[in-house]
Amino acid sequence: MNSYERLFARMQGKPVDRVPNNCIIMGFGAKYIGASYREFVTDYRVLAEAALRCREDFDLDILSVISDPMREAEAFGSEIVFPENGVPYATRPLLQELSDISKLKVFSPEASRRTNDRLMAVRYLSEQAGSECAVQGWVEGAFAEACDLRDLYNMMIDVMLEPDAVKDLLEICTEGAIRFALAQIKAGARIIGIGDAAASLIGPQMYMEFAFPYEKRLIDEIHKAGGKAKLHICGNINKILDMVVETGADMIDCDWMVDFKRANELCGTTISACGNFDPVAVLLEGKVETVKNAVNTCLAQSSPTSIIAAGCEVPPDTPAENLKAVSQALWEAAG
């Protein structure tokens, strides 16, 4: 089986030659090909080279254009700083006050420099991979995007004091995410990853009010366009896991602190839980045998639709032999 066949068969609960390996490659990919992180997040050719090289050398089953959370924020108008080997960040919140929402306009993905750069990455990778491997696009979830535009601290106060205005902001962020997701599907992405990390910082009641409806609407639109959706919420989502499953996502990333056995039970036979060994303690700091043992533990907790990956991105300084051990363990487990 090739990667495309393996991944989509597994998502449907069908037999595969081995369980798919969907480790998230970002800073590791840049370092692996000798590029700066600034180059990785600003030049689709660098990102694509890293994705293709890492897929080939580490036996990955996805080509993803994930890079950083600030592409949409920049398209909305935020001033972004690009450290040579650090994650891009906004110099100041674009929305100094919630009343500034009235000035916020939904961007055109083709018209903004770095959202268009991501579209070019999707097109290029789709051309290179053909039917061998699926390309995964990426967008920010509405709650995470609102935090990028307003600042996390301000946003947490806003949801308590001005919930209606927050929902107005979330509507705009959702529309931006939908436009960006559909543009990536049109460019060749078969799966759209949705990063909504900040949603792990709010409790179940707030999640249902300020994150769930917007994630679900985005996922529904991705499905209408013929794509699959992966929901990625970093952190401990054990308290909201049952609600996350109800978003309709086809794949749910589970960070290392999430109960992977329970996640698989909740996902049933129609959703793929993806995870979930510790990227730091296992991949970065462990030995080859540590990695293999962690992969086998995840496999023991898996269902017929599960996908294996580190709980979040592969740390940049991860030893290459440790990342190779993920695939080795999967092949060994397959017999």
Side-chain angles (χ1 to χ4, degrees):
M1 303 182 85
N2 64 32
S3 291
Y4 189 99
E5 295 164 341
R6 180 179 300 121
L7 179 59
F8 280 90
R10 184 68 171 180
M11 290 174 71
Q12 297 172 59
K14 296 179 180 179
V16 292
D17 55 350
R18 68 156 171 79
V19 176
N21 175 7
N22 276 26
C23 284
I24 296 174
I25 303 297
M26 296 169 62
F28 177 90
K31 187 171 183 177
Y32 187 67
I33 66 168
S36 70
Y37 203 60
R38 180 188 299 149
E39 293 171 316
F40 181 83
V41 302
T42 58
D43 187 339
Y44 80 92
R45 294 165 296 186
V46 176
L47 185 151
E49 180 186 351
L52 291 165
R53 285 266 303 278
C54 287
R55 167 173 140 67
E56 178 68 24
D57 292 356
F58 300 103
D59 203 14
L60 304 178
D61 290 300
I62 195 76
L63 287 166
S64 183
V65 297
I66 183 175
S67 64
D68 67 281
M70 302 307 291
R71 289 189 188 247
E72 293 100 309
E74 184 178 12
F76 274 120
S78 294
E79 294 183 6
I80 307 299
V81 173
F82 298 93
E84 176 137 1
N85 282 302
V87 179
Y89 63 92
T91 56
R92 62 198 291 270
L94 179 64
L95 303 177
Q96 291 290 300
E97 304 292 339
L98 268 179
S99 57
D100 293 337
I101 295 171
S102 60
K103 305 173 187 175
L104 203 61
K105 304 297 182 185
V106 177
F107 58 88
S108 165
E110 295 82 5
S112 177
R113 178 175 65 98
R114 285 208 312 131
T115 50
N116 190 56
D117 180 80
R118 179 168 284 170
L119 296 180
M120 291 191 286
V122 170
R123 290 191 195 99
Y124 180 79
L125 288 172
S126 297
E127 291 168 359
Q128 294 297 308
S131 59
E132 290 293 311
C133 185
V135 175
Q136 178 179 271
W138 201 268
V139 299
E140 291 298 292
F143 192 78
E145 184 59 31
C147 291
D148 291 337
L149 297 173
R150 181 76 178 107
D151 177 80
L152 179 61
Y153 176 80
N154 291 333
M155 186 68 170
M156 292 303 173
I157 295 173
D158 293 340
V159 296
M160 299 295 294
L161 301 181
E162 300 187 68
D164 290 339
V166 167
K167 290 174 184 176
D168 290 339
L169 174 56
L170 292 170
E171 290 288 341
I172 296 171
C173 292
T174 301
E175 180 59 32
I178 290 171
R179 287 192 188 184
F180 196 20
L182 299 190
Q184 290 177 71
I185 291 171
K186 185 177 180 180
R190 291 300 311 274
I191 301 170
I192 299 293
I194 302 165
D196 214 3
S200 68
L201 302 177
I202 52 180
Q205 184 176 346
M206 283 190 172
Y207 174 78
M208 285 302 292
E209 185 173 0
F210 296 105
F212 176 89
Y214 308 97
E215 290 170 352
K216 189 174 190 321
R217 191 190 317 165
L218 172 57
I219 289 166
D220 287 346
E221 292 299 322
I222 290 169
H223 287 161
K224 288 178 187 177
K228 300 290 187 181
K230 179 178 90 159
L231 185 53
H232 179 95
I233 304 177
C234 302
N236 190 340
I237 61 171
N238 283 308
K239 290 183 178 179
I240 60 171
L241 192 52
D242 56 338
M243 304 173 211
V244 171
V245 169
E246 295 300 318
T247 61
D250 304 283
M251 190 187 307
I252 295 172
D253 279 357
C254 300
D255 212 338
W256 66 268
M257 66 285 291
V258 175
D259 184 337
F260 197 51
K261 185 174 186 296
R262 177 170 173 260
N264 278 285
E265 291 169 351
L266 288 171
C267 286
T269 60
T270 59
I271 302 170
S272 294
C274 183
N276 81 327
F277 53 88
D278 190 328
V280 176
V282 172
L283 268 186
L284 176 63
E285 298 174 348
K287 303 296 184 183
V288 166
E289 285 307 311
T290 310
V291 176
K292 289 187 175 183
N293 288 338
V295 170
N296 287 327
T297 297
C298 290
L299 288 172
Q301 299 171 345
S302 292
S303 75
T305 59
S306 302
I307 294 165
I308 295 301
C312 202
E313 73 162 300
V314 174
D317 294 328
T318 295
E321 60 268 24
N322 282 5
L323 188 53
K324 288 180 180 178
V326 177
S327 174
Q328 291 168 359
L330 292 173
W331 281 117
E332 290 166 6

